[in-house]
Amino acid sequence: MDSVQKDKNVEQIKDVLRQYLQEKGFRNTPERYTILEEIYSLDHHFNVDDLYLLMMQKKYHVSKATIYNTIEIFLDAGLIRKHQFGEKTLSTSSYEKSYFDKQHDHLVIYKRDSDKEIAEIIEFCDPRIQGIKQSIEDAFGVNINSHSLYFYGTKKD
Ligand SMILES: [Zn+2]
């Protein structure tokens, strides 16, 4: 993506946030926009600790409580998506930007010597899932608005 398009996208998500905050009557604080920009500059999943550290490294002082609170706002505004990648442990939540994203699902690969530690998360998009969704909608006469699918495994030899 070129930088002009990137700037356009940043302006667009900021508008979405601005409108959301206004509608909900929330405060229009600058740190919310800074956090949003930081998230949209990332190309991977993150958790609250990752984000907190990133902000610290950039000498942007914001409390963890603010990050948690802001994350909730972004979720509700449809700007990010939440994941619980750990299947076998109570792991912390991961998030990713979602506004411009195409639908994708996740393959969670555990370290071979540990069934708790995650080695890698791979994103994949399989058009057959769209087909399954379609036939479930037809069979049950419903509109499916979202879905959640995770595969868990370990690397083969
Ligand atoms: Zn993802």
Side-chain angles (χ1 to χ4, degrees):
M1 194 185 297
D2 62 60
S3 67
V4 175
Q5 185 59 45
K6 235 174 201 166
D7 288 348
K8 261 193 201 159
N9 286 355
V10 169
E11 285 317 306
Q12 200 177 336
I13 51 162
K14 281 181 171 176
D15 278 346
V16 171
L17 179 59
R18 199 168 296 125
Q19 219 164 356
Y20 174 89
L21 293 174
Q22 202 171 14
E23 271 168 26
K24 297 276 173 172
F26 291 148
R27 284 192 308 142
N28 200 34
T29 58
E31 60 269 19
R32 288 182 173 149
Y33 294 91
T34 309
I35 296 172
L36 186 66
E37 257 191 87
E38 191 59 44
I39 289 174
Y40 270 76
S41 73
L42 298 174
D43 283 318
H44 49 80
H45 307 96
F46 62 91
N47 61 36
V48 168
D49 287 339
D50 299 334
L51 195 56
Y52 180 68
L53 282 176
L54 271 172
M55 303 297 280
M56 291 250 287
Q57 278 163 12
K58 297 197 171 172
K59 309 258 183 270
Y60 197 90
H61 291 283
V62 55
S63 71
K64 252 187 208 181
T66 300
I67 293 185
Y68 273 111
N69 175 283
T70 305
I71 288 272
E72 287 306 315
I73 287 174
F74 293 172
L75 278 172
D76 196 44
L79 289 163
I80 59 172
R81 196 182 300 148
K82 184 180 190 170
H83 297 292
Q84 205 81 47
F85 286 128
E87 172 209 32
K88 293 167 182 169
T89 53
L90 270 179
S91 68
T92 55
S93 300
S94 296
Y95 304 90
E96 67 184 326
K97 61 185 175 194
S98 62
Y99 193 74
F100 302 106
D101 264 21
K102 280 205 253 162
Q103 182 64 56
H104 66 263
D105 296 292
H106 299 87
L107 172 59
V108 180
I109 302 172
Y110 286 101
K111 285 189 177 150
R112 197 129 29 129
D113 50 356
S114 158
D115 64 357
K116 294 186 174 80
E117 246 184 296
I118 294 168
E120 197 183 349
I121 292 164
I122 295 175
E123 297 185 334
F124 67 92
C125 184
D126 189 322
R128 285 175 294 180
I129 291 163
Q130 187 62 30
I132 294 170
K133 185 183 144 221
Q134 191 80 56
S135 50
I136 298 282
E137 283 182 326
D138 295 345
F140 295 98
V142 294
N143 290 313
I144 293 173
N145 307 314
S146 67
H147 79 262
S148 165
L149 172 67
Y150 301 95
F151 288 121
Y152 301 96
T154 49
K155 274 246 155 67
K156 286 182 182 171
D157 288 321

